[in-house]
Amino acid sequence: MRQFIEGLPKAELHIHIEGTLEPEHCLELANRNGIALQHNTPEAIVRSYDFNDLPSFLSAYYSGMQVLLTEQDFYDLTCRYFQKAASEGVVYAEVFFDPQAHTSRGVDFETVISGIHRAQKDARQELGIESGLIMCFLRDMSAESAMEHLHMSLPYKHWIIGVGLDSDERDNPPSKFAEVFIEARKHGFRLTMHCDVNQQDSLLHIRECLDQIGVDRIDHGVNVLEDEELCLDLVHRGIGLTVCPVSNHYVVQSFTSDEIRSLISKGVKVTVNSDDPAYFRAYINENFQVLAEEGDFSQQEIVQLTKNAFDIAWLSDDVKAVYLKKLENYVASFSSSVVI
């Protein structure tokens, strides 16, 4: 199963580029930019990742990104993610970035997006990985700030495929940003929002995503299983979930493998992703592997999860068909090469 997972051509739809900042790279950038860190070895940084819920994770996440200052920093960060992703069989990725977390530190929007975009172009040419960029708003900041950053993005909108909503969910419902997302839709952006696991008012937030915002996708969202009508709505509307098993384990002490299997059985287009892999110490293959080991997922279930990701990716039908054929060919080739 491990060999099968490693070679599987994959789409990753829930990856925060700032969450791919590995400890070694964090120290390298701190040295380059003259920033003093609290911890001075990779091992010490990893030991500091003592989080067991969303707020404690976010504290470490925002602290780490202080070393990202220049266009070259964002280019290097994104290149390293694509190199790792290519080694794990990712052929297409939709990457989140959090501009407010940088502009609030005095880093220009242009600096952030130019570095990321340049890395996307190089990844396409050198690694064969296609990608799209999703701009996320921080829900614990104001709707006015989100709107301001939406307007900042418009000169670069040909580089951005959609907008999302992340960060601390408590007292920050989707409806807080309704006007921002209406405006984003007018400019042609696709829409997604985080509805993290076991957060306050999870079901209400999922319902707002569907009925008030009209999202194209939901990130996380496994609490939908608590409401059969919500599950049926997701299936009816063809809205997929981008689930992250290892990060779920940090937040709710479960890989949510039972929930993922239930979602598959109900026909929800659930997918597997790595979220913030440098912090959770697991990229996409490790996320699939924990389902195979802890959840005893079959090859058929692993393939269905992979197919779902291409199905709900923000790609044209023609391009999706190419990736799905690649997946079909891999499965057929792998099966025929197995000696029984």
Side-chain angles (χ1 to χ4, degrees):
M1 179 64 85
R2 183 178 297 276
Q3 182 184 354
F4 177 74
I5 289 170
E6 288 174 352
L8 203 63
K10 307 171 191 74
E12 176 149 50
L13 308 179
H14 187 149
I15 177 77
H16 298 267
I17 198 61
E18 294 91 349
T20 68
L21 181 61
E22 289 289 343
E24 295 82 359
H25 193 202
C26 184
L27 289 168
E28 180 184 322
L29 293 179
N31 183 61
R32 184 159 86 188
N33 292 325
I35 296 172
L37 296 179
Q38 184 178 358
H39 306 285
N40 57 12
T41 68
E43 295 77 15
I45 291 176
V46 171
R47 284 195 299 271
S48 75
Y49 296 162
D50 183 23
F51 36 76
N52 57 12
D53 59 15
L54 184 57
S56 60
F57 160 71
L58 290 171
S59 177
Y61 175 70
Y62 291 126
S63 175
M65 66 177 71
Q66 67 179 304
V67 301
L68 297 164
L69 295 178
T70 69
E71 180 180 324
Q72 189 65 36
D73 295 342
F74 288 96
Y75 172 81
D76 291 346
L77 174 70
T78 309
C79 280
R80 290 191 186 206
Y81 164 68
F82 283 128
Q83 289 162 0
K84 178 65 174 178
S87 75
E88 298 221 336
V90 174
V91 294
Y92 177 71
E94 292 179 359
V95 179
F96 296 130
F97 77 115
D98 288 329
Q100 290 160 291
H102 309 299
T103 59
S104 62
R105 299 182 293 111
V107 180
D108 288 342
F109 187 98
E110 182 180 14
T111 295
V112 179
I113 197 169
S114 295
I116 295 171
H117 180 69
R118 184 157 56 94
Q120 288 179 276
K121 291 196 297 183
D122 286 352
R124 181 184 304 116
Q125 295 169 0
E126 298 169 14
L127 300 171
I129 294 184
E130 294 290 340
S131 63
L133 190 59
I134 300 172
M135 179 177 66
C136 282
F137 305 117
L138 302 184
R139 66 201 310 155
D140 43 4
M141 295 183 72
S142 69
E144 290 76 16
S145 175
M147 188 70 84
E148 179 187 1
H149 284 75
L150 176 62
H151 291 152
M152 274 185 207
S153 76
L154 296 181
Y156 311 95
K157 75 175 190 175
H158 54 296
W159 292 355
I160 302 170
I161 60 173
V163 298
L165 184 68
D166 61 14
S167 200
D168 195 349
E169 201 162 330
R170 185 178 180 85
D171 300 322
N172 295 298
S175 55
K176 172 182 172 181
F177 299 90
E179 291 185 13
V180 181
F181 277 74
I182 289 170
E183 182 74 9
R185 180 73 86 184
K186 288 178 182 177
H187 288 285
F189 292 121
R190 306 296 293 269
L191 310 180
T192 188
M193 286 184 165
H194 279 50
C195 291
D196 220 316
V197 186
N198 290 2
Q199 298 301 296
Q200 181 187 55
D201 298 323
S202 287
L203 295 181
L204 174 62
H205 291 182
I206 294 170
R207 177 54 69 191
E208 287 185 359
C209 281
L210 296 178
D211 294 345
Q212 284 191 251
I213 310 300
V215 296
D216 302 292
R217 217 160 56 204
I218 292 175
D219 303 306
H220 299 297
V222 298
N223 290 98
V224 73
L225 286 167
E226 298 167 19
D227 186 322
E228 186 64 25
E229 186 178 342
L230 279 176
C231 287
L232 291 173
D233 268 4
L234 288 185
V235 174
H236 176 70
R237 303 185 198 200
I239 293 174
L241 304 180
T242 64
V243 177
C244 309
V246 174
S247 78
N248 286 348
H249 190 268
Y250 275 86
V251 174
V252 297
Q253 293 72 58
S254 167
F255 293 117
T256 59
S257 54
D258 289 342
E259 290 87 343
I260 291 170
R261 178 171 279 126
S262 293
L263 289 164
I264 293 174
S265 71
K266 291 178 180 293
V268 176
K269 290 187 181 296
V270 58
T271 69
V272 169
N273 311 269
S274 61
D275 203 357
D276 300 281
Y279 291 88
F280 299 126
R281 316 309 297 153
Y283 284 80
I284 194 166
N285 284 353
E286 289 89 349
N287 277 270
F288 274 110
Q289 192 62 38
V290 297
L291 295 182
E293 294 175 358
E294 193 257 357
D296 197 27
F297 274 50
S298 66
Q299 274 193 18
Q300 183 179 356
E301 289 172 313
I302 296 294
V303 170
Q304 184 62 58
L305 291 164
T306 308
K307 181 178 182 295
N308 288 346
F310 289 116
D311 282 341
I312 70 169
W314 292 340
L315 293 165
S316 70
D317 289 343
D318 288 346
V319 174
K320 288 181 186 180
V322 171
Y323 284 126
L324 289 169
K325 185 64 177 177
K326 185 180 181 75
L327 174 61
E328 179 185 333
N329 290 343
Y330 171 78
V331 173
S333 172
F334 188 90
S335 299
S336 66
S337 67
V338 174
V339 177
I340 300 175

